[in-house]
Amino acid sequence: MTKFRKASLILLSLTTSATLLQACGSGSNDGNNGATNAGSGSNANAGDGSIKKDGFPIVDKTLTLKMMSQDVGVADWNKMPVLQEMEKLTGIHMEYQNSPVDSFATKKNLVFASGDLPDIFYAAELTSAEQVTYGTQGVLVPLEKYIDEGYAPNLKKIFDEHPDIRKSYTTPDGHIYSLPNIDLSAVWYRGPMWYNGKFLKALNAAEPKTTEELYAYLKRVKEEDPNGNGKKDEIPLTSVKLDDLRMYFLGFWGIYNEVYYADKDGKVHYTPQEEGYKGYLTFLNRLWKEELLDHETFSQTGDQKKAKGTNNQVALFNDWFPYFTLGGEPSGDNPLMTPVKSEVEGSPVYGKHPGLSTNGTFAITSSNPSPEASIRWVDYLYGYDGATLFSQGPENLLWKYKNKETREKEWLPVEGGKDREEVRGTLTPNYGIPAPGMSSSELTKGLKSEFDIWLDEQNTEKLVPIAKAPFPYVYLTNEQQTEATALLADLGTYVTQMEAKFVTGQEPLSNWDKYVAQLKKMGSDRIVELYQAAYDSWNK
């Protein structure tokens, strides 16, 4: 892998969330433990020390806290330069109670059940139900008081500038029990669609702007041998079970997400029963009938799809970057697909990344002797300096400032020719786990390759003007969440089966009304009702 490709992969890991114990701490379950220390002055007490609202160190005497997190097992957290730097900076010593990623959820449940709590949950992926349940029980400490009283100025600034983010992490009882990973620069919700630039050039074709133009282009690909090998082996459009292209294509018919979404007027829709979804199915069925959609779509693997790409057979496809499918090096030769307009008024649209990369990444428990110090510790990760430290490591290891005043950076050579991303995993805990903090374009200023800059330009030109986040992060009650989960599971199975049948013609689209009636019988209108109520509550 070349340095150019590595740089793009590293930038991807720095600007998106990573996808994806040994608990022996003890303490009181009193939900007010430490919570009354904030006061109204500039400092608060932590045991026999004090906590500063600004400046470092945070405490004037070393404070020891127990932190529980999941861990990919790359390095000992006690020896990580980032965490060592944080201890020097803050005066807070962390005792790490880590558990492998695969077993973390089980260990987390055991800790909650036993009451033998750490002081802090880090990268804990606390679900909505966990936040509400353990928050209302007093196990998790409400955080909004400390944010509003000056112990988290970076978070407060983000919340004030982006009120939707604050609303999305405020539970129905008015409290914030956990913090998110916030990505202020993200556009893609999933990997987008790409054109094979060689095919566009061979056919002397401009990018299609409507669904009819797209159909005509794909038909030309099938008939005019754009790969020039004298065979009709071109595949105009390929997919793996439609999971990769569904969300992007639905935007052609005015739909922001594949399950449920709120339109610009705040009305909630269940996608699989919308007329726009019928338009999507009708178009794909048309492509299937004329062999413009790969007939191995419902049977092939991702690797098999990519093999067709590297063999220069595919004209239009989904992937995170085009060279992941087509091979070669990063370049601007294979354009990001411009979403196309259908017969639906107001189309196309694009379901934009909501800015919240990860759910429930940081929480403080009732065992914590100093919530004020803990919130100040994590608040550093939501500012430029802390976000840089945790995402890229300390200065002069993997990077250095080219111009500190303008925040322009540059990469340094990696000792021994090692992989930069693998080395980064030994420096910081924010590697392969959903950690708290924020990402923004400022963090990668000067580190972007020509390809990264080209991607930004493509996004700005083609997606951002028509983009909206499909749905905010909302909380349902435990009973509502249980009901919605059960309904969506049954509906999802049925919808997936029927989607394949409609597209391949096993089920005629003349049976659309019968299909919608079955969805309603299975509870699709109840899904709309539940999420409309949650949206309205969020939007107050």
Side-chain angles (χ1 to χ4, degrees):
M1 185 181 286
T2 67
K3 286 204 262 184
F4 197 16
R5 182 178 299 189
K6 286 179 184 176
S8 296
L9 287 169
I10 292 167
L11 262 294
L12 172 63
S13 72
L14 296 181
T15 56
T16 61
S17 60
T19 337
L20 356 174
L21 168 72
Q22 185 178 357
C24 53
S26 61
S28 167
N29 284 329
D30 178 6
N32 292 322
N33 184 14
T36 59
N37 289 338
S40 58
S42 62
N43 295 331
N45 294 328
D48 57 357
S50 62
I51 302 158
K52 301 175 186 175
K53 282 188 175 180
D54 51 50
F56 293 99
I58 293 170
V59 291
D60 57 8
K61 294 187 68 174
T62 299
L63 173 65
T64 298
L65 298 173
K66 298 180 178 68
M67 175 188 285
M68 176 178 167
S69 180
Q70 50 187 323
D71 179 17
V72 296
V74 172
D76 181 352
W77 284 30
N78 291 290
K79 298 178 181 178
M80 282 184 176
V82 165
L83 295 174
Q84 291 175 338
E85 185 77 15
M86 276 298 282
E87 182 166 345
K88 291 177 187 176
L89 180 70
T90 65
I92 297 174
H93 172 71
M94 294 291 183
E95 293 182 355
Y96 304 109
Q97 302 175 341
N98 291 348
S99 177
V101 171
D102 292 344
S103 60
F104 179 77
T106 300
K107 294 295 179 65
K108 179 177 62 173
N109 291 337
L110 289 173
V111 164
F112 277 127
S114 69
D116 191 14
L117 299 166
D119 299 317
I120 290 170
F121 283 106
Y122 185 93
E125 292 187 281
L126 295 167
T127 65
S128 300
E130 288 171 339
Q131 293 170 48
V132 171
T133 298
Y134 297 115
T136 55
Q137 290 177 4
V139 176
L140 299 180
V141 173
L143 305 178
E144 70 280 355
K145 172 181 179 179
Y146 307 109
I147 296 170
D148 292 334
E149 290 187 355
Y151 290 98
N154 292 315
L155 263 172
K156 184 68 164 58
K157 185 174 186 290
I158 291 173
F159 285 172
D160 288 348
E161 293 176 353
H162 305 273
D164 284 1
I165 294 179
R166 178 166 188 148
K167 287 196 297 184
S168 294
Y169 270 79
T170 301
T171 59
D173 64 357
H175 293 304
I176 298 172
Y177 294 113
S178 74
L179 300 178
N181 179 285
I182 299 170
D183 193 333
L184 300 175
S185 60
V187 175
W188 301 344
Y189 216 140
R190 297 184 181 175
M193 303 294 297
W194 306 92
Y195 285 110
N196 184 331
K198 291 180 180 178
F199 284 18
L200 286 170
K201 187 175 181 180
L203 297 174
N204 194 26
E207 275 199 61
K209 296 296 190 292
T210 68
T211 51
E212 282 304 309
E213 289 180 8
L214 177 60
Y215 164 78
Y217 173 70
L218 296 178
K219 197 167 180 64
R220 287 190 65 194
V221 168
K222 183 175 185 294
E223 295 174 348
E224 297 183 27
D225 190 28
N227 68 10
N229 66 358
K231 305 175 184 178
K232 285 197 172 184
D233 60 347
E234 289 84 357
I235 302 167
L237 173 64
T238 192
S239 174
V240 177
K241 298 180 175 62
L242 304 180
D243 292 337
D244 46 4
L245 66 74
R246 185 183 299 113
M247 187 167 164
Y248 207 89
F249 266 56
L250 284 169
F252 308 165
W253 283 269
I255 293 174
Y256 288 94
N257 197 15
E258 59 195 89
V259 183
Y260 56 84
Y261 66 96
D263 63 24
K264 292 180 179 178
D265 297 321
K267 182 181 178 182
V268 175
H269 302 261
Y270 179 64
T271 294
Q273 65 188 25
E274 292 292 309
E275 281 297 313
Y277 184 78
K278 181 182 180 182
Y280 153 82
L281 293 176
T282 302
F283 185 74
L284 289 186
N285 174 251
R286 180 186 185 189
L287 300 185
W288 182 273
K289 285 178 179 177
E290 300 192 33
E291 297 186 354
L292 304 181
L293 172 61
D294 193 345
H295 274 209
E296 294 183 346
T297 286
F298 296 100
S299 60
Q300 70 180 343
T301 65
D303 287 341
Q304 289 170 327
K305 182 187 86 168
K306 290 185 179 186
K308 297 172 182 177
T310 55
N311 201 37
N312 198 31
Q313 291 178 265
V314 178
L316 180 61
F317 57 93
N318 168 281
D319 212 326
W320 198 259
F321 297 131
Y323 63 87
F324 282 8
T325 289
L326 298 178
E329 299 302 323
S331 74
D333 296 334
N334 303 294
L336 176 73
M337 182 188 191
T338 301
V340 296
K341 180 178 178 57
S342 70
E343 68 279 5
V344 173
E345 185 178 353
S347 65
V349 299
Y350 177 74
K352 181 181 179 293
H353 192 289
L356 300 175
S357 293
T358 314
N359 173 29
T361 63
F362 182 92
I364 296 171
T365 77
S366 56
S367 295
N368 193 307
S370 183
E372 299 92 342
S374 302
I375 198 78
R376 271 225 61 201
W377 186 94
V378 76
D379 183 66
Y380 187 61
L381 281 61
Y382 290 92
Y384 173 83
D385 290 335
T388 293
L389 176 65
F390 273 73
S391 63
Q392 299 161 14
E395 186 180 1
N396 296 320
L397 292 182
L398 291 178
W399 63 278
K400 69 176 182 179
Y401 277 110
K402 194 172 183 179
N403 185 330
K404 194 161 188 176
E405 289 185 5
T406 62
R407 294 180 171 177
E408 187 177 1
K409 304 168 184 169
E410 62 182 352
W411 292 118
L412 294 172
V414 182
E415 185 179 351
K418 296 178 183 176
D419 183 272
R420 181 177 279 116
E421 181 66 359
E422 291 177 2
V423 173
R424 190 182 74 85
T426 67
L427 305 179
T428 175
N430 290 17
Y431 178 82
I433 58 174
M438 74 90 178
S439 297
S440 76
S441 58
E442 277 287 288
L443 299 184
T444 53
K445 194 173 182 180
L447 301 179
K448 292 187 174 184
S449 66
E450 290 182 10
F451 178 69
D452 298 314
I453 294 169
W454 175 79
L455 287 179
D456 288 344
E457 293 170 348
Q458 292 279 290
N459 286 331
T460 300
E461 174 191 346
K462 298 178 177 180
L463 299 182
V464 172
I466 60 171
K468 183 185 82 71
F471 203 77
Y473 184 83
V474 299
Y475 290 87
L476 302 178
T477 66
N478 289 342
E479 293 77 12
Q480 289 172 334
Q481 187 63 66
T482 298
E483 180 184 7
T485 299
L487 289 174
L488 288 171
D490 291 342
L491 285 163
T493 299
Y494 178 67
V495 167
T496 300
Q497 292 172 347
M498 292 302 295
E499 178 187 51
K501 289 181 179 180
F502 280 131
V503 169
T504 60
Q506 295 178 49
E507 186 81 17
L509 281 157
S510 58
N511 286 344
W512 170 259
D513 290 343
K514 179 181 176 182
Y515 156 78
V516 171
Q518 179 62 22
L519 291 178
K520 292 178 180 293
K521 185 178 178 181
M522 295 175 70
S524 59
D525 286 344
R526 177 59 176 160
I527 290 297
V528 172
E529 181 181 334
L530 286 169
Y531 284 97
Q532 185 70 65
Y535 181 87
D536 292 343
S537 177
W538 172 88
N539 201 39
K540 285 181 181 177

